[in-house]
Amino acid sequence: MTDTSAHPGAASGPIPDKPSLDGLEDRWDRVWSDQQVYAFDPDTTREQVFSVDTPPPTASGSLHIGHVFGYSQADMIVRYQRMRGKNVFYPLGWDDNGLPTERRVQNYYGVRCDPSLPYDPEFTPPQEGGDNRSAKPANQLPISRRNFIELCETLTEIDEKSFEEVFRTLGVSVDWNHSYQTINAASRATSQRAFLENLAAGQAYQSEAPTMWDVTYRTAVAQAEQVDQERDGAYHHIGFSRTDGTGEKVFIETTRPELLPACVALVAHPDDERYQGLLGTTVTSPLFDVEVPVLAHPLAQADKGAGIAMICTFGDATDVIWWRDLQLPTRSVIGRDGRFLPDAPWITTEAGRAHYAELVGLTVFSAQKRVVELVTASGDLVGEPRRITHPVKFYENGDKPLEYVTSRQWYLTNGGRDTSEGGLRDALIARGREITWHPAYMESRYRNWVEGLSGDWLISRQRFFGVPFPLWYAVDAHGETDHDTVLTPNLARLPIDPTIDAPEGYDESQRNQPGGFVADPDVLDTWATSSLTPQLAGGWNEDPELFAKVYPMDLRPQGHDIIRTWLFATIVRSHLQQDSLPWTNTSINGWILDPDRKKMSKSKGNVVTPIGLLRQHGSDGVRYWAGRARQGVDTAFDEGQMKIGRRLAIKILNASKFALGFGTAPADPAGLLAADPTAVTEAVDRSLLASLATVVEAATAAYEEMDYARALEVTEPFFWAFCDDYIELVKDRAHGQVGEAGAASARAALAITLDVLLRLFAPVVVFATEEVWSWWREGSVHTQPWPDAAPLREAAAGTPAELLSTLSDLVVAVRRIKSDAKVSQKTPILRATLSLPAARAELAEAGRSDLTALGRIEALTIVGGAEDGISVTDVELGEPPVKQPRH
């Protein structure tokens, strides 16, 4: 055994007698942290830097296997760039604010936020840990906003520590000196500054308009956060009465009969001949006796339902378009809690008001049931409802359909309304074309999303744990809020909380008083902060010098499901703030699918938490599974691949120990390789290096395209052939049994190949490669230069790679002789004849001595001229070796 000391700072020492993966993660994480192996060097130029806009995971609950999958793939790309000599800026943030954190705090501590309550500095939560009972609002203790936020901050800090442990165990090479949060003071100041600059530039505006609303969480929901779910419904054939004295009825079909009291018009297509005589007249609504006009609009579908529809404020997005285009009144009946409002002043008849009174306070579901009962009793419903399934809008984290609620909200321009030629939408589509996408086809998903936008980005949320809007509004002498008089702070004051801080020129005594001010109660959408991750991580607001060195960033890795949210939103912000792209490349990972080919997600309850897998299969095994998956491709959760990865990592340890046990190789005076290439004189050894050069070229080309999977795909088969064939072929020679020159050649080839293989595997198999490197090389493998094919080609001296592959095929043939004969591989072959094509026979001659040594062949005849394949004839086996008794 070679007694080679480890590099300074490593804990491993000499080559162990029994190499093991156990404990490598903890040991090497400590070494990397102590030696700051992955730290960014600020003394740099932008050209030297490779910077990464890393996804900040939501610090709520626990990580799942999808995180491990995506972050491992990104880390492979980053580690390659570091080995290419780049000064890597690789921060990791925590996405603290937002609804998931609030929900976790509510359940964990058994509390809920009530902004009307005063702050209690001595508050202690009623519980810690949560249970089924604490998940119900009725069982949650109401507390002040400030107390609630403090609990959010406490719990996210706990979650972040556990998240960091997983990432460290996984071997993600982030620079922990540059971690950040989306809710700390620096992030609040950055987000508030960006918003105020948007406001000053006319890119942010407020509007009172119909807004998609989640009635459970009582917050507005942006278009990007909405998902379609197939729901059961029914078309109801309901008649409106004409007001022209004919007594005739006009029948519509609707899936929302409960919105009859909110009806403001009927609408038909202007070219629909059935309703030409009706356009411009009026009808009265059933039950509620409200007179509404019959109007024309091209969005009305003649072939859908009855061909004429009722417009309600608001049932869906088309209602909003009709309401806006036809300048119709607003008649809201559903409140922010999802229940029917107490008054509908446009209903004036006694019978109509009596019917509406039956709906007040009901949920949408209950109101629909009651309206159907009423129109059935009145005879306005004709026939049985026609059952259907149809897509209904939900908040991505919600469990009830979204409703339209009229409210005052803040918006940011994102091209949804600016569809003019050369306008913002076109500019953002052009930005998408400027990015290099990995894989390339993902660009179309981005473009399709931008082209399908129907409105600007709604950025205000009616939540608590988030970045507050840094705004106040003037209150007039009558105590009415003047939303048109917006009070903003000086940028030097940021971050501010308008519910605690007073605007310039006012003091706290004027809060909510006539002639004073009132705070904007809302917070920024969590994506409005997360969309600034390049600015947050890069220090745009507080460290302009650092920002200039890392921005625009080089890479954004992320999942394909958030192209429409995080990726698009980040492009919008960088386009508006810096008039540039936020990064030049994006690498898109796929979803993890369960055995039923369904996406793994917390909401579906089918996720797998990673820490157990990392302990069972080793981090290198789990990373291998991630590295085998193509970019952008949804991948099945497969522990079988993790087991293969673990076997690979163990083989790297054991094969390296074996290879290093043959003796010391001569040093390379030029320092380009792990051993002197001039010592490689044997054809088989040179062929090995020629083959290795081809692998290096292919792996390098793959990594240059950020295709880690292809790089692993070409490296792994070579490694197994190196272990199973080459080492076996040359081990007698490497031990010096055929002369010193032959031994020196084999040892040099082994050292060079092992060195290169460790570096090729290092981005994926991070712990095993570092462990082996420490046995015989200085420094960390992860800061070594990436292998170069040129010195390998030179050392190969023109020897073809096919020589080694031919010998590998012959090794298989020789082994088959003995396995077919059911004798030990140590059994000698007294004589044999190998027939193979002439070109390959010539190559086989060059490796004759190694082949005969491996096969224990006393007399070998190699015959060229076979048309195809390899045949073995004239075989005579010797006596199998006698097994020695164990003592």
Side-chain angles (χ1 to χ4, degrees):
M1 182 180 74
T2 305
D3 186 10
T4 306
S5 297
H7 66 75
S12 5
I15 301 175
D17 290 330
K18 294 182 178 180
S20 171
L21 298 178
D22 295 341
L24 292 189
E25 290 90 349
D26 289 342
R27 177 149 51 84
W28 284 112
D29 175 63
R30 287 195 301 271
V31 172
W32 295 336
S33 296
D34 292 344
Q35 298 183 357
Q36 293 288 287
V37 170
Y38 305 127
F40 173 70
D41 182 2
D43 184 15
T44 189
T45 65
R46 180 65 188 88
E47 291 70 30
Q48 297 168 323
V49 170
F50 184 85
S51 51
V52 187
D53 181 20
T54 316
T58 301
S60 175
S62 60
L63 293 170
H64 59 76
I65 194 64
H67 291 103
V68 165
F69 184 72
Y71 283 87
S72 294
Q73 292 174 349
D75 188 54
M76 295 166 199
I77 296 169
V78 170
R79 286 180 177 275
Y80 167 76
Q81 291 293 333
R82 188 180 287 113
M83 296 177 75
R84 291 294 280 180
K86 287 292 188 178
N87 182 12
V88 172
F89 181 71
Y90 192 20
L92 182 63
W94 308 112
D95 199 2
D96 302 292
N97 62 26
L99 181 61
T101 300
E102 290 190 20
R103 291 173 67 181
R104 176 156 160 74
V105 166
Q106 289 168 352
N107 297 344
Y108 190 87
Y109 292 114
V111 298
R112 58 183 170 84
C113 183
D114 183 346
S116 68
L117 296 176
Y119 174 65
D120 178 3
E122 304 298 326
F123 174 73
T124 300
Q127 66 176 48
E128 290 190 21
D131 53 31
N132 290 333
R133 184 176 178 276
S134 65
K136 299 177 181 178
N139 298 324
Q140 295 169 347
L141 177 69
I143 61 174
S144 74
R145 179 174 185 162
R146 186 172 169 187
N147 286 125
F148 185 76
I149 289 173
E150 287 178 352
L151 290 180
C152 291
E153 292 170 340
T154 298
L155 193 54
T156 53
E157 184 177 350
I158 294 171
D159 287 340
E160 285 164 12
K161 289 179 180 177
S162 65
F163 280 28
E164 182 176 334
E165 180 187 357
V166 173
F167 283 122
R168 285 182 177 275
T169 302
L170 184 61
V172 178
S173 61
V174 298
D175 181 358
W176 294 104
N177 302 307
H178 286 278
S179 60
Y180 63 92
Q181 299 171 307
T182 59
I183 195 64
N184 63 10
S187 294
R188 292 198 305 273
T190 299
S191 299
Q192 290 179 340
R193 173 189 168 186
F195 170 76
L196 291 172
E197 290 185 359
N198 295 142
L199 181 62
Q203 298 156 347
Y205 63 92
Q206 59 177 327
S207 176
E208 186 163 3
T211 304
M212 291 297 272
W213 187 268
D214 187 280
V215 300
T216 302
Y217 302 112
R218 301 192 188 183
T219 184
V221 176
Q223 183 179 352
E225 298 171 302
Q226 299 167 21
V227 294
D228 285 331
Q229 291 188 23
E230 286 293 321
R231 302 281 285 191
D232 292 333
Y235 274 118
H236 301 79
H237 199 65
I238 298 175
F240 283 66
S241 299
R242 296 185 60 164
T243 58
D244 58 5
T246 62
E248 295 181 5
K249 288 195 172 184
V250 179
F251 287 93
I252 58 98
E253 289 194 354
T254 180
T255 60
R256 300 292 304 268
E258 73 277 11
L259 292 181
L260 278 171
C263 181
V264 291
L266 300 189
V267 63
H269 194 280
D271 298 331
D272 192 336
E273 295 181 357
R274 292 172 295 175
Y275 301 108
Q276 290 293 319
L278 208 66
L279 298 177
T281 67
T282 62
V283 294
T284 57
S285 59
L287 302 180
F288 306 103
D289 303 324
V290 177
E291 187 172 343
V292 298
V294 181
L295 304 172
H297 195 282
L299 285 183
Q301 297 175 262
D303 59 349
K304 183 178 180 180
I308 190 168
M310 69 171 180
I311 304 173
C312 301
T313 53
F314 297 92
D316 58 21
T318 308
D319 278 343
V320 177
I321 296 171
W322 283 331
W323 166 80
R324 185 178 291 124
D325 290 354
L326 299 174
Q327 299 183 340
L328 297 168
T330 301
R331 294 171 180 164
S332 299
V333 295
I334 299 174
R336 294 188 174 197
D337 59 357
R339 295 179 180 273
F340 269 62
L341 295 168
D343 194 23
W346 57 91
I347 301 174
T348 58
T349 66
E350 184 177 343
R353 295 186 68 82
H355 285 136
Y356 187 79
E358 295 189 50
L359 307 181
V360 172
L362 296 182
T363 63
V364 170
F365 176 82
S366 297
Q368 182 178 108
K369 182 179 179 181
R370 183 56 184 147
V371 168
V372 171
E373 291 171 348
L374 291 171
V375 290
T376 300
S378 67
D380 294 306
L381 176 65
V382 176
E384 289 294 320
R386 179 164 55 92
R387 301 295 172 185
I388 61 166
T389 59
H390 60 144
V392 177
K393 295 292 183 186
F394 279 72
Y395 176 36
E396 59 188 358
N397 292 316
D399 53 13
K400 290 184 179 180
L402 294 173
E403 297 291 347
Y404 274 96
V405 171
T406 301
S407 59
R408 182 177 296 276
Q409 304 286 346
W410 281 98
Y411 295 84
L412 186 68
T413 55
N414 69 349
R417 298 179 67 181
D418 184 1
T419 59
S420 60
E421 185 174 353
L424 181 57
R425 177 177 295 193
D426 285 352
L428 294 173
I429 291 173
R431 289 292 190 200
R433 290 194 295 267
E434 294 174 39
I435 297 169
T436 302
W437 296 76
H438 307 273
Y441 64 81
M442 287 292 174
E443 188 270 337
S444 64
R445 298 197 184 188
Y446 168 85
R447 185 177 65 254
N448 292 340
W449 171 255
V450 181
E451 290 174 345
L453 289 169
S454 59
D456 283 333
W457 180 6
L458 192 160
I459 59 170
S460 49
R461 293 293 181 273
Q462 292 64 52
R463 301 303 304 170
F464 312 111
F465 189 49
V467 176
F469 278 87
L471 304 172
W472 306 265
Y473 305 101
V475 178
D476 65 21
H478 304 289
E480 296 294 327
T481 300
D482 180 6
H483 286 99
D484 293 329
T485 304
V486 180
L487 308 174
T488 59
N490 187 294
L491 294 182
R493 291 184 63 193
L494 302 179
I496 64 108
D497 183 342
T499 65
I500 298 174
D501 304 312
E504 283 90 340
Y506 296 84
D507 59 44
E508 186 60 29
S509 67
Q510 295 173 280
R511 185 181 297 275
N512 303 328
Q513 299 299 314
F517 66 92
V518 63
D520 190 305
D522 294 344
V523 297
L524 285 158
D525 168 23
T526 184
W527 291 113
T529 300
S530 301
S531 61
L532 293 168
T533 48
Q535 291 83 354
L536 295 174
W540 168 59
N541 191 52
E542 67 277 0
D543 193 346
E545 184 177 350
L546 173 64
F547 192 63
K549 294 176 180 178
V550 302
Y551 183 91
M553 294 190 168
D554 295 282
L555 176 65
R556 153 66 70 82
Q558 66 160 72
H560 62 66
D561 53 325
I562 51 174
I563 289 175
R564 62 191 177 94
T565 48
W566 190 38
L567 186 144
F568 171 61
T570 309
I571 292 176
V572 170
R573 302 307 293 277
S574 290
H575 180 80
L576 298 181
Q577 306 297 152
Q578 279 80 32
D579 191 24
S580 74
L581 283 172
W583 7 258
T584 52
N585 293 269
T586 182
S587 175
I588 307 297
N589 63 268
W591 284 342
I592 300 303
L593 307 177
D594 68 12
D596 295 325
R597 306 296 295 178
K598 295 179 180 177
K599 178 194 175 186
M600 281 190 172
S601 67
K602 290 182 181 179
S603 62
K604 294 180 184 297
N606 61 350
V607 297
V608 176
T609 53
I611 198 67
L613 293 169
L614 295 175
R615 289 170 179 160
Q616 179 182 359
H617 302 295
S619 296
D620 283 341
V622 176
R623 289 176 64 100
Y624 171 87
W625 162 69
R628 293 284 297 180
R630 298 286 182 191
Q631 285 167 317
V633 177
D634 295 342
T635 302
F637 174 72
D638 187 356
E639 288 194 70
Q641 284 287 330
M642 297 177 195
K643 292 176 182 177
I644 293 172
R646 181 175 177 83
R647 286 199 295 271
L648 172 64
I650 292 171
K651 187 67 174 181
I652 289 172
L653 296 180
N654 292 331
S656 298
K657 177 181 183 296
F658 188 67
L660 292 172
F662 290 118
T664 304
D668 178 13
L672 297 177
L673 297 171
D676 185 358
T678 63
V680 183
T681 55
E682 296 291 323
V684 174
D685 305 330
R686 287 178 170 179
S687 178
L688 173 73
L689 299 187
S691 181
L692 181 59
T694 300
V695 172
V696 169
E697 289 167 347
T700 303
Y703 269 119
E704 285 298 308
E705 295 298 320
M706 301 190 179
D707 191 350
Y708 49 82
R710 175 59 184 160
L712 180 58
E713 191 177 72
V714 298
T715 303
E716 186 181 2
F718 176 87
F719 169 74
W720 287 110
F722 169 71
C723 297
D724 296 341
D725 298 335
Y726 175 78
I727 291 179
E728 292 297 317
L729 272 169
V730 305
K731 65 181 181 182
D732 287 348
R733 178 159 54 86
H735 278 307
Q737 294 181 10
V738 293
E740 186 55 39
S745 177
R747 292 170 185 173
L750 282 165
I752 291 169
T753 302
L754 182 59
D755 171 280
V756 171
L757 277 171
L758 291 175
R759 286 185 278 159
L760 288 174
F761 276 127
V764 181
V765 188
V766 300
F767 293 103
T769 54
E770 185 74 306
E771 173 72 5
V772 172
W773 193 266
S774 74
W775 296 344
W776 67 305
R777 305 285 282 157
E778 295 294 323
S780 168
V781 69
H782 300 297
T783 56
Q784 302 306 309
W786 183 254
D788 183 2
L792 297 172
R793 290 272 181 222
E794 185 175 349
T799 305
E802 290 77 15
L803 189 159
L804 183 60
S805 63
T806 294
L807 288 179
S808 295
D809 291 342
L810 292 176
V811 167
V812 172
V814 170
R815 286 171 174 165
R816 186 179 298 118
I817 294 170
K818 298 179 183 182
S819 60
D820 288 347
K822 295 182 173 54
V823 297
S824 165
Q825 290 295 325
K826 295 181 180 180
T827 301
I829 298 177
L830 302 180
R831 69 171 184 273
T833 299
L834 297 176
S835 300
L836 61 167
R840 303 196 80 190
E842 184 178 343
L843 294 173
E845 286 289 352
R848 170 186 286 273
S849 61
D850 289 331
L851 181 62
T852 55
L854 170 65
R856 291 174 167 75
I857 305 174
E858 296 181 8
L860 176 65
T861 302
I862 299 176
V863 177
E867 292 185 3
D868 191 23
I870 297 172
S871 63
V872 185
T873 57
D874 192 26
V875 177
E876 182 180 352
L877 294 171
E879 289 296 323
V882 178
K883 290 185 178 181
Q884 298 296 323
R886 292 184 179 182
H887 298 287

